[in-house]
mmCIF file of all heavy atoms in Angstrom:
data_model
loop_
_atom_site.group_PDB
_atom_site.id
_atom_site.type_symbol
_atom_site.label_atom_id
_atom_site.label_comp_id
_atom_site.label_asym_id
_atom_site.label_seq_id
_atom_site.Cartn_x
_atom_site.Cartn_y
_atom_site.Cartn_z
ATOM 1 N N PHE A 129 -9.509 -49.007 180.536
ATOM 2 C CA PHE A 129 -9.547 -47.575 180.242
ATOM 3 C C PHE A 129 -10.082 -47.411 178.823
ATOM 4 O O PHE A 129 -9.538 -48.002 177.885
ATOM 5 C CB PHE A 129 -8.148 -46.966 180.365
ATOM 6 C CG PHE A 129 -7.509 -47.186 181.716
ATOM 7 C CD1 PHE A 129 -6.771 -48.344 181.958
ATOM 8 C CD2 PHE A 129 -7.649 -46.259 182.725
ATOM 9 C CE1 PHE A 129 -6.177 -48.571 183.193
ATOM 10 C CE2 PHE A 129 -7.065 -46.470 183.972
ATOM 11 C CZ PHE A 129 -6.329 -47.628 184.212
ATOM 12 N N PHE A 130 -11.125 -46.600 178.657
ATOM 13 C CA PHE A 130 -11.806 -46.465 177.376
ATOM 14 C C PHE A 130 -11.947 -44.982 177.021
ATOM 15 O O PHE A 130 -12.202 -44.138 177.890
ATOM 16 C CB PHE A 130 -13.194 -47.101 177.435
ATOM 17 C CG PHE A 130 -13.185 -48.554 177.827
ATOM 18 C CD1 PHE A 130 -13.099 -48.935 179.154
ATOM 19 C CD2 PHE A 130 -13.261 -49.543 176.861
ATOM 20 C CE1 PHE A 130 -13.084 -50.270 179.526
ATOM 21 C CE2 PHE A 130 -13.250 -50.885 177.213
ATOM 22 C CZ PHE A 130 -13.162 -51.244 178.550
ATOM 23 N N VAL A 131 -11.815 -44.696 175.724
ATOM 24 C CA VAL A 131 -11.995 -43.324 175.219
ATOM 25 C C VAL A 131 -12.897 -43.392 173.995
ATOM 26 O O VAL A 131 -12.678 -44.215 173.099
ATOM 27 C CB VAL A 131 -10.653 -42.675 174.847
ATOM 28 C CG1 VAL A 131 -10.886 -41.247 174.353
ATOM 29 C CG2 VAL A 131 -9.699 -42.666 176.035
ATOM 30 N N THR A 132 -13.894 -42.522 173.945
ATOM 31 C CA THR A 132 -14.799 -42.493 172.799
ATOM 32 C C THR A 132 -14.265 -41.535 171.735
ATOM 33 O O THR A 132 -13.334 -40.759 171.970
ATOM 34 C CB THR A 132 -16.210 -42.047 173.220
ATOM 35 O OG1 THR A 132 -16.216 -40.622 173.447
ATOM 36 C CG2 THR A 132 -16.674 -42.763 174.466
ATOM 37 N N SER A 133 -14.891 -41.587 170.584
ATOM 38 C CA SER A 133 -14.509 -40.694 169.488
ATOM 39 C C SER A 133 -14.811 -39.236 169.801
ATOM 40 O O SER A 133 -14.358 -38.344 169.081
ATOM 41 C CB SER A 133 -15.238 -41.108 168.201
ATOM 42 O OG SER A 133 -16.638 -41.151 168.433
ATOM 43 N N ALA A 134 -15.568 -38.974 170.878
ATOM 44 C CA ALA A 134 -15.826 -37.601 171.330
ATOM 45 C C ALA A 134 -14.947 -37.249 172.531
ATOM 46 O O ALA A 134 -15.180 -36.245 173.194
ATOM 47 C CB ALA A 134 -17.299 -37.437 171.700
ATOM 48 N N ASN A 135 -13.938 -38.097 172.827
ATOM 49 C CA ASN A 135 -12.997 -37.924 173.935
ATOM 50 C C ASN A 135 -13.663 -38.026 175.309
ATOM 51 O O ASN A 135 -13.199 -37.430 176.274
ATOM 52 C CB ASN A 135 -12.222 -36.604 173.831
ATOM 53 C CG ASN A 135 -10.929 -36.654 174.637
ATOM 54 O OD1 ASN A 135 -10.284 -37.692 174.738
ATOM 55 N ND2 ASN A 135 -10.546 -35.524 175.221
ATOM 56 N N SER A 136 -14.733 -38.769 175.401
ATOM 57 C CA SER A 136 -15.316 -39.066 176.706
ATOM 58 C C SER A 136 -14.580 -40.259 177.296
ATOM 59 O O SER A 136 -14.265 -41.220 176.588
ATOM 60 C CB SER A 136 -16.803 -39.393 176.573
ATOM 61 O OG SER A 136 -17.506 -38.305 176.016
ATOM 62 N N GLN A 137 -14.317 -40.206 178.601
ATOM 63 C CA GLN A 137 -13.555 -41.240 179.270
ATOM 64 C C GLN A 137 -14.457 -42.159 180.092
ATOM 65 O O GLN A 137 -15.450 -41.718 180.688
ATOM 66 C CB GLN A 137 -12.503 -40.632 180.201
ATOM 67 C CG GLN A 137 -11.379 -39.927 179.487
ATOM 68 C CD GLN A 137 -10.345 -39.417 180.467
ATOM 69 O OE1 GLN A 137 -10.539 -39.432 181.679
ATOM 70 N NE2 GLN A 137 -9.217 -38.948 179.956
ATOM 71 N N PHE A 138 -14.075 -43.429 180.113
ATOM 72 C CA PHE A 138 -14.776 -44.438 180.896
ATOM 73 C C PHE A 138 -13.727 -45.401 181.424
ATOM 74 O O PHE A 138 -12.830 -45.817 180.683
ATOM 75 C CB PHE A 138 -15.788 -45.181 180.019
ATOM 76 C CG PHE A 138 -16.483 -46.335 180.692
ATOM 77 C CD1 PHE A 138 -17.638 -46.133 181.424
ATOM 78 C CD2 PHE A 138 -15.986 -47.632 180.597
ATOM 79 C CE1 PHE A 138 -18.286 -47.188 182.044
ATOM 80 C CE2 PHE A 138 -16.626 -48.695 181.199
ATOM 81 C CZ PHE A 138 -17.782 -48.465 181.934
ATOM 82 N N ASP A 139 -13.789 -45.745 182.711
ATOM 83 C CA ASP A 139 -12.868 -46.739 183.249
ATOM 84 C C ASP A 139 -13.625 -47.716 184.138
ATOM 85 O O ASP A 139 -14.718 -47.423 184.633
ATOM 86 C CB ASP A 139 -11.687 -46.100 183.998
ATOM 87 C CG ASP A 139 -12.106 -44.944 184.903
ATOM 88 O OD1 ASP A 139 -13.271 -44.933 185.344
ATOM 89 O OD2 ASP A 139 -11.271 -44.073 185.169
ATOM 90 N N ALA A 140 -13.052 -48.895 184.342
ATOM 91 C CA ALA A 140 -13.757 -49.939 185.071
ATOM 92 C C ALA A 140 -12.775 -50.983 185.568
ATOM 93 O O ALA A 140 -11.661 -51.112 185.055
ATOM 94 C CB ALA A 140 -14.811 -50.607 184.176
ATOM 95 N N LYS A 141 -13.229 -51.734 186.578
ATOM 96 C CA LYS A 141 -12.495 -52.902 187.047
ATOM 97 C C LYS A 141 -13.244 -54.147 186.615
ATOM 98 O O LYS A 141 -14.466 -54.141 186.501
ATOM 99 C CB LYS A 141 -12.338 -52.883 188.568
ATOM 100 C CG LYS A 141 -11.154 -52.075 189.063
ATOM 101 C CD LYS A 141 -10.883 -52.359 190.527
ATOM 102 C CE LYS A 141 -9.584 -51.690 190.975
ATOM 103 N NZ LYS A 141 -9.273 -52.014 192.393
ATOM 104 N N TYR A 142 -12.491 -55.230 186.407
ATOM 105 C CA TYR A 142 -13.068 -56.511 185.999
ATOM 106 C C TYR A 142 -12.693 -57.578 187.022
ATOM 107 O O TYR A 142 -11.526 -57.704 187.407
ATOM 108 C CB TYR A 142 -12.592 -56.888 184.595
ATOM 109 C CG TYR A 142 -13.083 -55.926 183.556
ATOM 110 C CD1 TYR A 142 -12.375 -54.753 183.287
ATOM 111 C CD2 TYR A 142 -14.282 -56.139 182.893
ATOM 112 C CE1 TYR A 142 -12.841 -53.837 182.354
ATOM 113 C CE2 TYR A 142 -14.752 -55.226 181.962
ATOM 114 C CZ TYR A 142 -14.034 -54.082 181.705
ATOM 115 O OH TYR A 142 -14.514 -53.161 180.789
ATOM 116 N N THR A 143 -13.688 -58.321 187.463
ATOM 117 C CA THR A 143 -13.522 -59.324 188.507
ATOM 118 C C THR A 143 -14.325 -60.561 188.136
ATOM 119 O O THR A 143 -15.086 -60.546 187.158
ATOM 120 C CB THR A 143 -14.017 -58.766 189.852
ATOM 121 O OG1 THR A 143 -15.421 -58.433 189.736
ATOM 122 C CG2 THR A 143 -13.243 -57.519 190.256
ATOM 123 N N PRO A 144 -14.205 -61.646 188.911
ATOM 124 C CA PRO A 144 -15.091 -62.793 188.684
ATOM 125 C C PRO A 144 -16.548 -62.394 188.831
ATOM 126 O O PRO A 144 -16.870 -61.405 189.506
ATOM 127 C CB PRO A 144 -14.666 -63.785 189.778
ATOM 128 C CG PRO A 144 -13.264 -63.405 190.107
ATOM 129 C CD PRO A 144 -13.206 -61.923 189.952
#
Side-chain angles (χ1 to χ4, degrees):
F129 303 88
F130 303 82
V131 181
T132 75
S133 55
N135 201 35
S136 300
Q137 291 183 350
F138 175 87
D139 43 26
K141 275 193 173 183
Y142 295 85
T143 61

